[in-house]
Every structure is written in structure tokens, then in C-alpha cells.
């Protein structure tokens, strides 16, 4: 079960790396809140035929846990991706990734405060090694790049996005809801989408509209299927099996996968710092997750 969960946790960072790349690539044609709005509509249309009956059967269970449902929907469906899409409008990929390094730390601290999970030395050491690997990737092996970074409003939004996802990850363990994974995801999509609606209407009032093109439709489809349904389900399985602090370390794979996708899709060069950074990230994850002897 643990090995399966470790393998499943490799997929959300891969899907989310593609999500961030596509959001940046279509920033002019897909306004940030509109992308969040339409991706969740499509995700709901795809999942509801398979989960609608079970959702109705467990409506009383979900209502009994309505506070947890609201909190989970707010921090995941409504807040995280919307904030991410807003962040990449005004910040660089390097800045966003560096701010994202706060996620494992936030998860570790929240799990300690809310769940009483101990911070094991190997876990902390693994997090440090993983972050060093991440920095090697985003600075392209040149630490001096860190001194030239400037903060933007997007960096603050990215920090809020990281805090939101950290809270979601810990709440999954803090407030377990006894329904199937996809059934819970359906409920969160419905509630979170309702929360997004007012912000989407406000964005429309400012004159920002979706440019309907094959590229934009393809991006919405990808975010709905891969970055929403599959990524959220696999993440939830991983958190349930391994705990939020361990799962949080896998977020450091996002910049590595972003670099790999850049090589595959944009023709960028795979350099030594990609290899070194990737090895360190995986070494940190291994250090934190391998069983003690």
C-alpha cells in the first residue's frame, strides 16, 4: 500500500507542472478566474454521471460534516488553483517555484500543530535535501541568481496558494469524511465552484473573456481531467496512506517536472543542474519516507 501511494504521489506534481505551463502559455487568451471556473465545470460534467448516485446516497453524511466540506472546498477547488493562475500573471516561473518551496514546511508545521505529528529528524533532513535540489533546478545551478530576484504581487498570491494547499492537505487527515474518494471530490467541486462564481462574474465585468480557440479548449480539458480529477484523487490517496508531511515533499517535484516538460514540449536543453536537482529532490523524498531500521 505504501509503495503504491508513493507511486501515485508522483503523478499530481507531473499534472500540476503541465497545469502551470499551460496557464502561463495561454495567459492572454484564458483569464485566470475563467480558467478555474470552466475547468471545474468540465470536471463536474465528467465525474457526476459516475458519482451522482453515491453522492446523493451520502448526502446526510456530507451534511453532517458540512464544516469540513466547506473548508476543504475553499482551500482546494476554490482557492489554490485560482490563486496560482492569478500569481503566474505577474510573477516569473522562478519566483513562483521558490515561493512554492514553503509548501512542505507549511504542511510539516500545520501537521505538528493540528495533528500532533512529530517532526522526525530524518523527515526534516529530507525536506532540506529536497529543497536544495529544487533550488538547483530553479537557479539553473547558479546560486547568485537568488540575489537578483525581485518580489511581485504574484509572489504574495503564490504564498497564499501554498498556504491554502497546505491547509487542505492537513485537513484531509484532521477531518476525515467517510465517503469514497471520487464522491468527496465531487462534493468539493460543487461547493468550491459555487465559491468561484462571484469572482468569475467580477472578472467578466472588467471585460476579461475567454478566447474560444482549439488551444484554450484543450487547456481547459487538460486541467479538468489531469490537473483536477486525476491529480486530486491521487493526492488524496497519498495523503491518506502516508500523511500530509510526506505528501507535501512531493510538491518539490513540480519545478523538476516543469523543466522536463519544457525539454519535451518546448525544445529546451536538459542540463546538468536538472539531473543534480532531480537526484537531490528524490533523495530527500527517499530519506523522509524510507522505513526506519
Amino acid at each position: 500500500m505504501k509503495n503504491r501511494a508513493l507511486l501515485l504521489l508522483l503523478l499530481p506534481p507531473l499534472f500540476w507542472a503541465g497545469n502551470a505551463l499551460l496557464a502561463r502559455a495561454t495567459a492572454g487568451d484564458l483569464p485566470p478566474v475563467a480558467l478555474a471556473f470552466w475547468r471545474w465545470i468540465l470536471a463536474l460534467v465528467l465525474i457526476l454521471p459516475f458519482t451522482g448516485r453515491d453522492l446523493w446516497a451520502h448526502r446526510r453524511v456530507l451534511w453532517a460534516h458540512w464544516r469540513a466540506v466547506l473548508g476543504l472546498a475553499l482551500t482546494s477547488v476554490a482557492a489554490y488553483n485560482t490563486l496560482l493562475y492569478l500569481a503566474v500573471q505577474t510573477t516569473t516561473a522562478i519566483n513562483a517555484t521558490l515561493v512554492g518551496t514553503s509548501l512542505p514546511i507549511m504542511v510539516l508545521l500545520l501537521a505538528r500543530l493540528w495533528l500532533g505529528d512529530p517532526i522526525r529528524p530524518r523527515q526534516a533532513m529530507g525536506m532540506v535535501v529536497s529543497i536544495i535540489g529544487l533550488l538547483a533546478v530553479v537557479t539553473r545551478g547558479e546560486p547568485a541568481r537568488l540575489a537578483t530576484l525581485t518580489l511581485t504581487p504574484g509572489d504574495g498570491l503564490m504564498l497564499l496558494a501554498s498556504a491554502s494547499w497546505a491547509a487542505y492537505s492537513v485537513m484531509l487527515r484532521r477531518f476525515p469524511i467517510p465517503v469514497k474518494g471520487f464522491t468527496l471530490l465531487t462534493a468539493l467541486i460543487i461547493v468550491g465552484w459555487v465559491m468561484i462564481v462571484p469572482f468569475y462574474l467580477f472578472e467578466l465585468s472588467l471585460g476579461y473573456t475567454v478566447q474560444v480557440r482549439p488551444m484554450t479548449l484543450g487547456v481547459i480539458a487538460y486541467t479538468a481531467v489531469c490537473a483536477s480529477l486525476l491529480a486530486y484523487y491521487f493526492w488524496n490517496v497519498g495523503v491518506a496512506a502516508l500523511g500530509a508531511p510526506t505528501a507535501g515533499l512531493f510538491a518539490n517535484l513540480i519545478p523538476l517536472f516543469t523543466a522536463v516538460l519544457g525539454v519535451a514540449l518546448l525544445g529546451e536543453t536538459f542540463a546538468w543542474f536538472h539531473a543534480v536537482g532531480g537526484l537531490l529532490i528524490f533523495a530527500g523524498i527517499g530519506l523522509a519516507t524510507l522505513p526506519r531500521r
Side-chain angles (χ1 to χ4, degrees):
M1 179 64 182
K2 180 178 178 179
N3 290 337
R4 175 175 175 268
L6 287 171
L7 290 175
L8 290 180
L9 279 172
L10 292 174
L11 295 175
L14 176 61
F15 293 148
W16 290 329
N19 178 45
L21 277 175
L22 292 173
R24 288 195 296 271
T26 57
D29 297 329
L30 265 174
V33 182
L35 177 53
F37 178 88
W38 288 109
R39 84 179 256 188
W40 290 116
I41 285 183
L42 180 56
L44 183 60
V45 168
L46 293 174
I47 196 175
L48 195 58
F50 302 99
T51 60
R53 181 175 297 180
D54 196 55
L55 182 69
W56 180 255
H58 289 86
R59 64 190 184 280
R60 290 187 177 86
V61 174
L62 291 166
W63 179 252
H65 295 81
W66 67 269
R67 291 183 181 85
V69 171
L70 281 177
L72 291 169
L74 172 63
T75 52
S76 61
V77 172
Y80 175 68
N81 285 281
T82 307
L83 290 169
L84 171 63
Y85 295 151
L86 287 166
V88 298
Q89 307 295 309
T90 57
T91 191
T92 65
I94 291 179
N95 276 42
T97 305
L98 285 174
V99 174
T101 62
S102 63
L103 176 58
I105 300 171
M106 290 180 181
V107 172
L108 201 65
L109 294 177
L110 284 177
R112 181 73 183 93
L113 293 173
W114 285 4
L115 307 178
D117 288 355
I119 300 177
R120 295 183 286 108
R122 284 202 343 170
Q123 200 172 41
M125 190 180 302
M127 181 173 63
V128 171
V129 171
S130 184
I131 289 176
I132 291 173
L134 184 148
L135 293 176
V137 173
V138 300
T139 63
R140 308 178 75 84
E142 299 176 14
R145 283 174 173 257
L146 294 174
T148 63
L149 294 177
T150 57
L151 297 178
T152 70
D155 298 325
L157 291 172
M158 193 64 208
L159 188 62
L160 288 176
S162 296
S164 179
W165 191 256
Y168 168 72
S169 300
V170 176
M171 282 194 291
L172 281 174
R173 291 287 296 271
R174 179 68 176 82
F175 305 109
I177 302 175
V179 298
K180 295 178 182 177
F182 275 120
T183 302
L184 175 61
L185 179 56
T186 305
L188 298 184
I189 290 173
I190 294 171
V191 175
W193 178 80
V194 170
M195 294 176 180
I196 293 172
V197 169
F199 299 96
Y200 176 60
L201 295 176
F202 177 71
E203 186 178 72
L204 282 176
S205 73
L206 297 177
Y208 295 102
T209 58
V210 176
Q211 301 299 312
V212 181
R213 298 170 182 165
M215 178 64 174
T216 56
L217 295 178
V219 169
I220 292 172
Y222 173 85
T223 57
V225 176
C226 296
S228 299
L229 299 180
L230 297 179
Y232 274 61
Y233 178 74
F234 294 147
W235 184 269
N236 292 356
V237 170
V239 170
L242 302 174
T246 297
L249 287 174
F250 282 77
N252 286 337
L253 290 171
I254 295 176
L256 175 64
F257 288 152
T258 301
V260 172
L261 288 174
V263 171
L265 302 178
L266 304 179
E268 297 180 358
T269 303
F270 189 84
W272 65 268
F273 51 81
H274 293 134
V276 172
L279 287 173
L280 286 171
I281 291 171
F282 278 108
I285 292 173
L287 185 62
T289 58
L290 287 176
R292 287 174 290 181
R293 297 184 182 278

